[in-house]
Amino acid sequence: MRLIKVKDFLARHGQILQQVDTQIQIFASCADTAKEYCILSHRWIVGQEVDYEQMMDLAKLDNAYEIVNWHGYQKVLQACKVADGLFEYLWADTCCIDKRSSSELTEAINSMFRWYKNSTRCYTYLHDTSEFPTEPDFTTFGNSNGWPEWFSRGWTLQELIAPGDLQFFNKDWKEIGSKRSRATELKKITGVPLSVLVDGLSSYRPSFAEVMSWASERRTMLAEDEAYSLIGLLGVNMPMLYGEGKNAFQRLQIGFMQMSNDQSIFAWKANKAGSTEARSTEDDVGWTSGVLPDGPVAFRGCHDVIQMGPDEFYRLLSSMWETHANALAANGECGTLPAFTVTNRGIQIPLPLRPYYGCPSVFRAALACRRRGNLMPLTINLAAFGPIHYRYSGVAGPMQPFPQNQTLHLAYQDKTADGITFNIVGTSALHNFSRCFVFPSKTRSEDGSLKLSSTNPLAIVVYANTSNAFFAIACGYCFGQDWVHVICDEPRNKPLLYAKQIYKRTWSRGAEYARLMAEACSGKTVRPHYVKHGHLLGTTLAVRVACGGWQKSNDRIVTIDIVEFPGGRCKTVTWEPMYGTKALIKADVPCLMKETLWFGGRLDGHRIEGAGEIFSLAPTQRQIKVGDYGVIANDNAGSFEYRGNIFSELEASNWKLRPYTDDLPLKRVVTSRLVPYGTPLPRPSENAGLVLHEPKILSFLNSQRTFDLLKQLSSRMRDYSLVTSVVQCSACSLTDDFKGRITAQMRRYPQIWQGYVRNATANAQTVTPLYTVATPWIWYQGEVNREVAREYYEIRERFNVIKNYPPAHNRELREEAVEFFKVKFGIKHLEGLVCRRYIFL
């Protein structure tokens, strides 16, 4: 410990002013218990403090006269004048620590609380006031909570609590009170209890949460000092790692858990943003975080949180949750509280839990601490994501009646990315629904996409039709996992009220939706798309939502359309993966097509350099065009049987749509490979099999209109396969190598395969030697209930009679339809029926 020799310092100061050459050494080294000393507590002024090196060599410096006028030097000088005659030594943190030595700095910070505690007297200098404050003054001290700056700094908390004898001095170095005489005012200013101010921490053992509440209104210049300034109050030792930022406070908490099982460390209160940072508005909301906050500000308002003994905790918790205490204790032992174990998976600890109804991954956990005047233990919400549990904010609703004790791994922090963007694409098949509202509005960017983050993790997109019927798409971001859900209710509110209602309800289930999406995506080596449905009540329609097809890791593409779904059993919560999707058009929407499954396997595949797809050999007897649809015959050869062409049908319907493009340059050599019968098609080798003359590829045009057309046709084409691209050329020839491979392996395959391959490869191909086939993806559509479908069609016919025919046109038919609805649904006034429930039909 390095101390200033008071008399030597004053003597040297006088000689410097008299310009006398001096060799006086002002520092002495000794243990903090070897000498009586006083100590200086003050508010640092940036650029005005004198460090150890300057103070040591002051007499030799050219700017010595400038330094002695610095505010920091004058503080030490005045403190020495006050101490002169009373104390031989004085310690000041600005110049008694050589901060050039990291080891000395670490030792000084770890022992600083002890130095203030072992001092005989502490001189506290309030540089910005003449009188001791009794009421907050926000005009004078607007940047420090209405009090002099010394009361708003992080380091001065331990400097207030540790010394037994502390005297306050004003800006003119006149004494204005002591810690004991001003204890009542100090409690009001700092929140520190009177017993601590008068008798120190030895007479009172505050909880971790209470100590942090004292520091919650204080600030430091460096983020690391927010933690380093508290190690003495908690009795923790830790190395100083300036540059680690908020991780310092996490290390402080982990260090405390290694020496205490005080569960109030988890009792901090997340604000509405789910973050420990102060927010300017209540609209910034977040779901999850780690169980360890970023700073003491999270413990604001925890001044009355006290620890509970094990007997008291389990007794009161069993009364609150109406369960036997032994069922709530770890291993059935109520005599001890479980210890913390800090592992690389998280903080391992057994806790009593109660799951929420409808959210099996969200729990209410009880902590062995309570508030003064309240006998019930404090609780927090946790959510499981895989084997790790996170702090969860905003959940509400009833809990299941059977508590359990479970060993958890609690995450230190919420490891989330910067954010995510949802691009929502609505097709033309929306049955007159259109997007009418996004809530919260700030999640919508200028291009119409939704930008979500950990502080704005949920957005509701409302769709409505002209009859004021709604459905909503919820996009969320929880645990760093994106998710999408469709909500199809029958609200009786306006779009904004409906959006707020859905927002509040969806918030509680965000963790569950994230878990379901993560389960759907886990273990996949490819990037499939996913689909789910929402049934529009009282109709034969369903909202179909697909998610996937993104190019960047933080972008998601969501496609929405409405399909007929009479009596089907659709998946409304979980996702159905879409495997084998083909990128036949590169639109910013999930692909419609999936690769066709050939019943008998395939004999060979062909790839053209530059095309990026594997093609099949086309039959020689006829021309194949883009847009042809048909069936894959179950004849072991998997031959394509033509049924029609979608573009020919469009021409008959007066549709004007360009079907395909032919401007792709292609190489003339095609690589081919023979594969065993019935096995999946491997990647073709580089062995040349076919040689094409003047090849060109024809495929679907890359346009949104083409995509919408295919989606509209997908329900009608559910049993067909569609030709998505063809390769045309003036002539096609086989290489000798490929002919030899065909001859060598022909006997291994069924007779029908031999004839098919011989005809396809031996004869000259002049039109379409190669083509690809895909099946329109019907996403997921459970087996249709024929009785329900027939009933819906009957409802539709009766409804159209009421809606479209005036009473005078066909009175008997209309009265029969009206009577049908009255009997079937008990409806006396048909206005509600026409306006709401069956308006989609």
Side-chain angles (χ1 to χ4, degrees):
M1 181 178 185
R2 187 181 291 109
L3 297 172
I4 296 175
K5 295 182 287 186
V6 174
K7 291 189 177 297
D8 289 347
F9 179 89
L10 295 174
R12 191 187 71 166
H13 176 71
Q15 292 177 354
I16 290 175
L17 293 181
Q18 296 171 12
Q19 299 184 3
V20 176
D21 188 17
T22 178
Q23 301 295 326
I24 298 177
Q25 297 296 320
I26 64 170
F27 289 111
S29 298
C30 62
D32 57 294
T33 57
K35 302 285 186 181
E36 286 191 357
Y37 60 93
C38 61
I39 200 165
L40 175 63
S41 177
H42 60 102
R43 163 76 170 96
W44 281 45
I45 306 298
V46 177
Q48 290 291 310
E49 302 300 335
V50 183
D51 60 24
Y52 168 74
E53 186 178 11
Q54 291 170 324
M55 191 67 80
M56 184 74 175
D57 301 325
L58 181 60
K60 302 176 183 178
L61 298 178
D62 295 335
N63 61 340
Y65 291 106
E66 178 185 348
I67 293 177
V68 297
N69 290 315
W70 284 3
H71 188 75
Y73 181 87
Q74 289 295 318
K75 284 186 293 189
V76 178
L77 175 63
Q78 295 299 326
C80 286
K81 289 181 178 180
V82 173
D84 189 26
L86 299 174
F87 298 97
E88 183 179 358
Y89 299 101
L90 178 139
W91 189 88
D93 55 359
T94 54
C95 58
C96 289
I97 304 171
D98 187 358
K99 299 178 180 63
R100 296 172 299 177
S101 170
S102 59
S103 60
E104 181 174 337
L105 179 62
T106 297
E107 179 185 358
I109 292 178
N110 276 285
S111 59
M112 193 172 293
F113 183 85
R114 189 181 74 241
W115 291 354
Y116 276 92
K117 181 179 179 180
N118 291 338
S119 66
T120 306
R121 181 172 298 165
C122 177
Y123 297 128
T124 297
Y125 176 56
L126 306 182
H127 74 283
D128 51 359
T129 184
S130 298
E131 298 178 353
F132 194 91
T134 57
E135 295 294 335
D137 182 357
F138 293 99
T139 302
T140 305
F141 308 111
N143 295 327
S144 53
N145 302 321
W147 305 103
E149 287 190 0
W150 187 87
F151 295 103
S152 68
R153 308 311 300 171
W155 286 102
T156 56
L157 177 61
Q158 66 174 354
E159 297 168 15
L160 169 68
I161 295 174
D165 183 1
L166 184 147
Q167 295 180 350
F168 289 97
F169 291 82
N170 68 4
K171 62 181 181 180
D172 299 320
W173 278 93
K174 293 180 180 180
E175 186 177 353
I176 54 176
S178 66
K179 183 167 69 170
R180 289 179 177 271
S181 66
R182 296 291 188 177
T184 302
E185 292 93 333
L186 288 172
K187 180 181 183 300
K188 178 181 179 181
I189 297 172
T190 65
V192 179
L194 287 174
S195 58
V196 175
L197 293 170
V198 175
D199 300 320
L201 289 176
S202 58
S203 62
Y204 178 77
R205 293 193 175 275
S207 67
F208 181 91
E210 184 175 4
V211 174
M212 293 301 105
S213 72
W214 304 340
S216 62
E217 301 290 347
R218 295 172 177 263
R219 300 292 178 266
T220 58
M221 291 293 294
L222 300 177
E224 296 86 352
D225 287 339
E226 200 170 47
Y228 301 160
S229 63
L230 297 171
I231 59 179
L233 290 169
L234 299 174
V236 175
N237 287 292
M238 55 188 287
M240 307 299 108
L241 301 174
Y242 281 100
E244 64 177 327
K246 292 291 184 179
N247 286 336
F249 192 73
Q250 183 184 106
R251 286 200 300 123
L252 175 72
Q253 295 170 93
I254 293 175
F256 179 81
M257 286 188 291
Q258 291 172 342
M259 52 181 287
S260 172
N261 63 351
D262 181 359
Q263 294 183 11
S264 72
I265 194 171
F266 306 126
W268 51 276
K269 296 172 62 177
N271 60 11
K272 279 206 164 186
S275 167
T276 60
E277 295 293 334
R279 300 288 176 185
S280 58
T281 68
E282 292 187 352
D283 295 331
D284 290 331
V285 253
W287 258 312
T288 62
S289 66
V291 295
L292 301 182
D294 291 337
V297 67
F299 292 91
R300 183 182 295 152
C302 296
H303 59 280
D304 58 348
V305 175
I306 60 176
Q307 298 184 64
M308 300 176 69
D311 293 335
E312 177 191 20
F313 170 59
Y314 290 116
R315 174 173 53 82
L316 295 177
L317 182 60
S318 64
S319 175
M320 182 173 71
W321 282 357
E322 299 179 351
T323 303
H324 195 277
N326 289 337
L328 300 171
N331 301 321
E333 298 179 1
C334 298
T336 58
L337 291 175
F340 302 158
T341 303
V342 181
T343 70
N344 57 357
R345 293 183 62 186
I347 303 165
Q348 181 177 326
I349 179 176
L351 287 176
L353 301 174
R354 284 184 68 180
Y356 282 86
Y357 276 113
C359 302
S361 58
V362 182
F363 306 89
R364 178 74 61 85
L367 304 176
C369 56
R370 61 179 178 86
R371 294 189 179 273
R372 292 190 187 91
N374 190 334
L375 297 180
M376 294 298 101
L378 292 176
T379 59
I380 60 173
N381 291 323
L382 299 173
F385 192 69
I388 308 298
H389 285 71
Y390 294 81
R391 186 75 181 266
Y392 196 70
S393 301
V395 66
M399 293 180 292
Q400 297 184 26
F402 304 108
Q404 55 183 301
N405 189 286
Q406 184 177 341
T407 299
L408 310 177
H409 287 87
L410 307 179
Y412 302 156
Q413 293 179 323
D414 192 7
K415 303 293 186 181
T416 59
D418 295 335
I420 196 166
T421 300
F422 288 90
N423 294 295
I424 299 182
V425 181
T427 68
S428 60
L430 282 178
H431 287 250
N432 297 320
F433 279 89
S434 61
R435 184 191 300 194
C436 68
F437 203 81
V438 175
F439 181 82
S441 58
K442 62 185 176 182
T443 58
R444 182 176 181 177
S445 59
E446 294 182 358
D447 61 359
S449 62
L450 304 178
K451 294 188 179 298
L452 303 184
S453 63
S454 59
T455 54
N456 292 291
L458 177 61
I460 305 298
V461 183
V462 178
Y463 288 79
N465 65 5
T466 55
S467 301
N468 203 33
F470 305 127
F471 70 86
I473 303 298
C475 298
Y477 186 58
C478 189
F479 309 113
Q481 171 67 52
D482 61 282
W483 58 264
V484 180
H485 187 61
V486 56
I487 302 100
C488 299
D489 290 1
E490 283 194 280
R492 300 183 182 276
N493 298 322
K494 295 181 179 180
L496 176 58
L497 297 177
Y498 176 58
K500 291 183 176 180
Q501 173 189 347
I502 296 300
Y503 187 92
K504 183 177 180 180
R505 187 203 319 170
T506 306
W507 185 271
S508 295
R509 295 186 57 84
E512 188 65 14
Y513 293 143
R515 182 184 65 83
L516 293 172
M517 190 70 190
E519 288 180 355
C521 298
S522 63
K524 307 299 186 297
T525 57
V526 295
R527 296 184 300 172
H529 306 294
Y530 301 90
V531 63
K532 67 164 60 170
H533 287 79
H535 183 211
L536 290 170
L537 300 180
T539 74
T540 60
L541 304 176
V543 181
R544 186 166 60 184
V545 180
C547 184
W550 47 87
Q551 295 292 327
K552 301 178 181 179
S553 60
N554 61 341
D555 287 344
R556 301 293 181 267
I557 309 299
V558 180
T559 309
I560 301 169
D561 62 348
I562 295 178
V563 295
E564 192 168 318
F565 213 94
R569 294 183 289 274
C570 57
K571 291 190 175 182
T572 59
V573 178
T574 58
W575 290 89
E576 180 76 2
M578 300 170 58
Y579 298 104
T581 50
K582 292 175 64 66
L584 71 106
I585 54 175
K586 297 179 175 62
D588 288 336
V589 285
C591 300
L592 169 74
M593 312 304 293
K594 68 174 182 178
E595 292 188 20
T596 297
L597 298 177
W598 297 75
F599 297 105
R602 300 170 74 164
L603 179 61
D604 65 291
H606 306 272
R607 179 176 300 228
I608 304 175
E609 185 179 350
E613 290 188 276
I614 297 178
F615 294 85
S616 302
L617 284 170
T620 59
Q621 63 271 24
R622 67 170 185 81
Q623 181 181 9
I624 291 183
K625 298 180 180 179
V626 175
D628 285 354
Y629 63 89
V631 296
I632 304 300
N634 188 11
D635 58 4
N636 291 329
S639 57
F640 178 72
E641 297 181 1
Y642 174 81
R643 291 289 187 272
N645 184 277
I646 62 172
F647 294 110
S648 299
E649 297 172 3
L650 289 177
E651 291 176 1
S653 302
N654 295 321
W655 278 61
K656 294 182 179 180
L657 180 66
R658 181 184 173 189
Y660 43 73
T661 179
D662 58 1
D663 56 357
L664 298 179
L666 297 177
K667 300 295 183 180
R668 58 189 297 270
V669 177
V670 180
T671 59
S672 308
R673 182 177 180 180
L674 295 174
V675 299
Y677 171 72
T679 59
L681 182 67
R683 186 180 184 90
S685 68
E686 297 299 321
N687 297 323
L690 306 178
V691 178
L692 307 179
H693 299 273
E694 300 179 346
K696 64 178 179 179
I697 187 171
L698 307 180
S699 62
F700 282 104
L701 187 66
N702 178 10
S703 69
Q704 183 65 43
R705 189 178 179 189
T706 303
F707 181 82
D708 287 342
L709 169 65
L710 293 177
K711 291 183 72 66
Q712 293 177 22
L713 294 174
S714 64
S715 296
R716 182 168 62 86
M717 295 179 59
R718 71 179 63 187
D719 297 323
Y720 297 120
S721 295
L722 182 70
V723 176
T724 59
S725 61
V726 299
V727 176
Q728 292 185 347
C729 59
S730 60
C732 172
S733 58
L734 279 65
T735 64
D736 293 338
D737 176 72
F738 188 50
K739 291 179 180 178
R741 283 185 284 150
I742 291 176
T743 303
Q745 299 193 39
M746 187 63 68
R747 295 182 180 179
R748 298 175 51 196
Y749 297 94
Q751 187 68 32
I752 192 169
W753 267 99
Q754 297 180 25
Y756 176 78
V757 174
R758 186 178 295 108
N759 291 334
T761 58
N763 299 323
Q765 301 286 315
T766 58
V767 183
T768 55
L770 301 173
Y771 73 113
T772 61
V773 180
T775 303
W777 183 269
I778 307 302
W779 315 67
Y780 177 87
Q781 183 161 338
E783 181 182 354
V784 174
N785 188 319
R786 300 299 178 184
E787 294 182 3
V788 174
R790 186 165 51 252
E791 182 181 16
Y792 271 112
Y793 291 138
E794 183 180 4
I795 292 172
R796 174 184 293 177
E797 291 178 2
R798 304 291 183 112
F799 176 78
N800 287 333
V801 169
I802 297 173
K803 182 179 178 182
N804 299 326
Y805 289 89
H809 184 78
N810 193 331
R811 184 179 300 274
E812 293 183 0
L813 186 61
R814 190 174 190 278
E815 289 180 352
E816 180 183 349
V818 170
E819 187 64 24
F820 169 82
F821 283 108
K822 287 182 177 180
V823 173
K824 189 171 187 62
F825 301 106
I827 298 175
K828 297 181 180 180
H829 302 286
L830 295 181
E831 289 78 6
L833 174 69
V834 174
C835 295
R836 295 195 54 77
R837 187 168 181 80
Y838 292 97
I839 198 64
F840 311 109
L841 297 175

